[in-house]
Amino acid sequence: MSIYSGAPHFLVAVDNIIFGFDGEKLKILLVHRHIEPEKGKWSLMGGFIGQNERPDTAALRVVRELTGISDIYMEHFEVFGEPQRDPIERTISIAYFTLIDINKYQHQINHAYSAAWFPLADAPQLIFDHDEMVKSALQKLRYKAALHPVLFELLPEKFTIPQITILYEEVYGIQLDKRNFARKLLSLELLIKLNEKEKESSKKGAFYYRLNEKNYKEKFGAMTKFIPFPYV
Amino acid sequence: MSIYSGAPHFLVAVDNIIFGFDGEKLKILLVHRHIEPEKGKWSLMGGFIGQNERPDTAALRVVRELTGISDIYMEHFEVFGEPQRDPIERTISIAYFTLIDINKYQHQINHAYSAAWFPLADAPQLIFDHDEMVKSALQKLRYKAALHPVLFELLPEKFTIPQITILYEEVYGIQLDKRNFARKLLSLELLIKLNEKEKESSKKGAFYYRLNEKNYKEKFGAMTKFIPFPYV
DNA sequence: CCAAAAGTGTTTTAGATACACCCATGA
DNA sequence: TCATGGGTGTATCTAAAACACTTTTGG
């Protein structure tokens, strides 16, 4: 018997706010909850921490089980621990914001869950305090992305400057000067220009770029101002 | 019986990394652990979350019980959940960095615990993963304080510009140009100059200032560059 | 009267912002 | 040939950084 036995024990969950970008809109990935209470309603991707599992490993596992994706950027941002947040039994939830390349998501890997992408601005009401989680996650993502190049995690291998610009505009809900923003992006030496153009969204076509992995890793920890402070 | 009954339950703790500043050195407040294991060794101020208690409330309670202080700035920064981190029983710890005015600390409020301030650079080895927690807390504090005026939480009601400068130099382990830094501080309109001088540390004496509470609250959320990015 | 720390002033430089214009191409 | 979005060039403005000097006063 533990010498800590006087102290209470709790269920501990992880919840992922999973962001994706389809080239036009910032989206979140939601699932139909398969257990009571609130069965069938939309929910974040979450699950309980296993007996011998670290919280961050649990968060990765949950996303892998439900989407099949294992190459994921995630970051813990807040603990939700209001005693009454889950009406059935008190659960302390460790929340992560999670960024995935939307193209890597293979629908219905696990058929027990039906998942769907929703534009952030147009998502259904979620169970428990999940709406609050999403709100807070977006705020933390904005904070992070104003100073670190995280948003590239949302893009496919090849992407264009106009695509990145739209992504930043979506995340912050602002209009950027495309000329200055392009100059900024290129000056960071994060991008490698490819000899190939994306021709769907314009007649002239926009050059594809890919990440310079080495510089990306080096500059990730450093603080680089991507978005002017007042907007954050 | 809960319908979540298949999932494991855990002890959940809060741990506070409590920072203070005595005018010269950045310090942390540690306690002698009063329970086994590692009884008598130095530890962070922590405790288990109560049955019906929020994590942040628990963190406040722990500090209040051990120091008598209830006017505290604290912020959650990380969850430590390695399964083996506590050798007796698995405990998931929610960690907070906590800033208090060192002058408000009344020694030995609670006689069951003996607490002491240690210069951060000269602290004893701590139990479990607490050294790692301190390291991570300092990093997060640096990040936060580079953009928000949190460090004023460490200062007494009245303080001088040279004191603030030393504080920032301590937190970041850097040398600042006192002329430029003073100008920066004053330009933010966070400070109200008092008609009184601190005469101990110099012949000329330095004017005392106090916080402009209104502007402080307003500018707290905004992002203001206090420390140049490369140092963070 | 001088050492030591407080405080004010000025120049330089880098980067953000604003804005004008040319380019490539499909319809 | 022209409308459309891609891309480059340049002038301006703001704030950070570098550096010099004056002020005050106890010993």
Side-chain angles (χ1 to χ4, degrees):
Chain A
M1 196 187 78
S2 165
I3 54 166
Y4 300 150
S5 55
H9 291 62
F10 304 99
L11 282 172
V12 184
V14 291
D15 278 301
N16 291 283
I17 295 83
I18 306 178
F19 292 97
F21 178 65
D22 63 1
E24 291 187 358
K25 292 284 166 196
L26 184 66
K27 299 191 164 182
I28 50 172
L29 188 57
L30 302 174
V31 289
H32 261 117
R33 187 172 157 91
H34 68 293
I35 53 172
E36 291 294 348
E38 310 249 27
K39 186 174 175 177
K41 290 209 180 164
W42 291 101
S43 147
L44 294 169
M45 280 193 187
F48 294 111
I49 294 181
Q51 197 61 258
N52 225 55
E53 189 178 42
R54 295 162 46 124
D56 49 358
T57 310
L60 283 169
R61 171 181 55 78
V62 164
V63 178
R64 187 167 16 84
E65 283 173 3
L66 271 63
T67 67
I69 311 177
S70 35
D71 180 24
I72 294 165
Y73 176 86
M74 60 170 53
E75 184 172 325
H76 165 59
F77 69 97
E78 195 170 337
V79 171
F80 291 81
E82 187 68 47
Q84 313 300 331
R85 55 178 295 280
D86 185 320
I88 296 302
E89 183 183 342
R90 180 169 186 188
T91 304
I92 293 172
S93 173
I94 304 174
Y96 295 79
F97 66 80
T98 305
L99 310 179
I100 70 181
D101 171 2
I102 206 168
N103 306 292
K104 285 190 184 151
Y105 172 63
Q106 295 157 37
H107 198 51
Q108 294 291 90
I109 290 280
N110 185 323
H111 290 275
Y113 311 87
S114 54
W117 288 102
F118 288 89
L120 192 58
D122 194 28
Q125 213 197 334
L126 305 179
I127 62 163
F128 305 163
D129 52 1
H130 286 196
D131 283 317
E132 189 193 339
M133 288 184 176
V134 171
K135 207 173 149 189
S136 184
L138 177 62
Q139 197 183 305
K140 295 290 160 46
L141 175 62
R142 282 178 174 165
Y143 196 99
K144 181 83 184 189
L147 296 163
H148 305 274
V150 266
L151 297 185
F152 289 96
E153 301 290 336
L154 293 168
L155 294 168
E157 297 280 313
K158 297 186 301 185
F159 47 80
T160 67
I161 302 280
Q163 274 167 21
I164 311 175
T165 310
I166 293 169
L167 171 55
Y168 274 84
E169 289 182 331
E170 268 292 299
V171 168
Y172 292 96
I174 57 172
Q175 282 287 108
L176 291 169
D177 182 310
K178 69 185 171 99
R179 298 161 294 186
N180 290 334
F181 194 68
R183 182 184 5 261
K184 175 85 191 189
L185 287 172
L186 294 170
S187 74
L188 298 171
E189 298 180 320
L190 290 173
L191 306 181
I192 295 167
K193 193 175 189 170
L194 304 179
N195 261 331
E196 192 185 348
K197 278 189 166 184
E198 189 277 336
K199 305 273 293 177
E200 299 225 336
S201 35
S202 76
K203 293 166 186 170
K204 183 176 176 181
F207 277 105
Y208 276 116
Y209 288 80
R210 63 178 177 83
L211 272 183
N212 178 328
E213 292 295 339
K214 186 169 159 289
N215 289 8
Y216 179 66
K217 275 176 197 146
E218 274 172 17
K219 305 219 171 163
F220 198 91
M223 283 166 105
T224 311
K225 205 163 109 187
F226 285 87
I227 295 289
F229 290 170
Y231 294 115
V232 182
Chain B
M1 197 186 78
S2 164
I3 53 165
Y4 300 150
S5 55
H9 291 63
F10 304 99
L11 282 171
V12 184
V14 291
D15 278 301
N16 290 283
I17 294 84
I18 306 179
F19 292 98
F21 178 64
D22 63 1
E24 291 187 357
K25 291 282 165 198
L26 185 65
K27 299 190 163 183
I28 50 171
L29 187 57
L30 302 175
V31 289
H32 262 117
R33 188 171 155 93
H34 69 294
I35 53 172
E36 293 292 351
E38 312 246 27
K39 186 173 174 177
K41 292 209 178 164
W42 292 102
S43 145
L44 294 170
M45 282 194 186
F48 294 110
I49 294 181
Q51 196 60 258
N52 224 54
E53 191 178 41
R54 293 162 48 123
D56 50 358
T57 310
L60 283 168
R61 170 181 57 75
V62 164
V63 178
R64 187 168 15 83
E65 284 173 1
L66 273 62
T67 66
I69 311 175
S70 34
D71 181 23
I72 293 165
Y73 176 85
M74 63 170 52
E75 184 171 326
H76 166 59
F77 70 95
E78 195 170 339
V79 172
F80 291 81
E82 186 69 44
Q84 312 300 331
R85 55 178 294 279
D86 185 320
I88 296 301
E89 183 184 340
R90 180 169 186 187
T91 305
I92 292 171
S93 173
I94 304 174
Y96 295 80
F97 66 81
T98 305
L99 309 180
I100 70 180
D101 171 3
I102 205 168
N103 307 290
K104 285 190 183 152
Y105 172 63
Q106 296 157 37
H107 197 52
Q108 294 291 91
I109 291 277
N110 185 321
H111 290 274
Y113 312 87
S114 54
W117 288 102
F118 288 88
L120 192 58
D122 194 29
Q125 214 196 334
L126 305 178
I127 62 163
F128 304 163
D129 53 0
H130 287 196
D131 283 317
E132 188 193 339
M133 288 184 176
V134 171
K135 206 172 150 192
S136 183
L138 176 63
Q139 196 183 307
K140 295 290 160 48
L141 175 62
R142 282 178 174 164
Y143 196 100
K144 182 82 182 189
L147 296 163
H148 305 275
V150 266
L151 297 185
F152 290 94
E153 301 289 337
L154 293 167
L155 294 167
E157 297 280 311
K158 297 186 303 186
F159 47 80
T160 67
I161 303 280
Q163 276 169 19
I164 311 176
T165 311
I166 292 168
L167 172 55
Y168 275 84
E169 290 182 331
E170 268 292 299
V171 169
Y172 292 95
I174 56 170
Q175 283 287 107
L176 290 169
D177 182 310
K178 68 186 172 95
R179 300 161 294 186
N180 289 335
F181 194 67
R183 182 185 4 260
K184 176 83 190 191
L185 288 172
L186 294 170
S187 74
L188 298 171
E189 298 180 320
L190 290 173
L191 305 180
I192 296 168
K193 193 176 190 171
L194 304 179
N195 261 330
E196 193 185 347
K197 279 189 166 183
E198 190 277 334
K199 303 276 292 179
E200 300 224 337
S201 35
S202 75
K203 294 166 185 171
K204 183 177 177 180
F207 277 104
Y208 277 115
Y209 288 79
R210 63 176 177 82
L211 270 183
N212 179 328
E213 292 296 340
K214 186 170 158 288
N215 288 9
Y216 179 66
K217 275 175 198 147
E218 274 172 16
K219 305 219 171 165
F220 197 91
M223 284 165 107
T224 312
K225 203 163 111 188
F226 285 86
I227 295 289
F229 291 170
Y231 295 114
V232 180

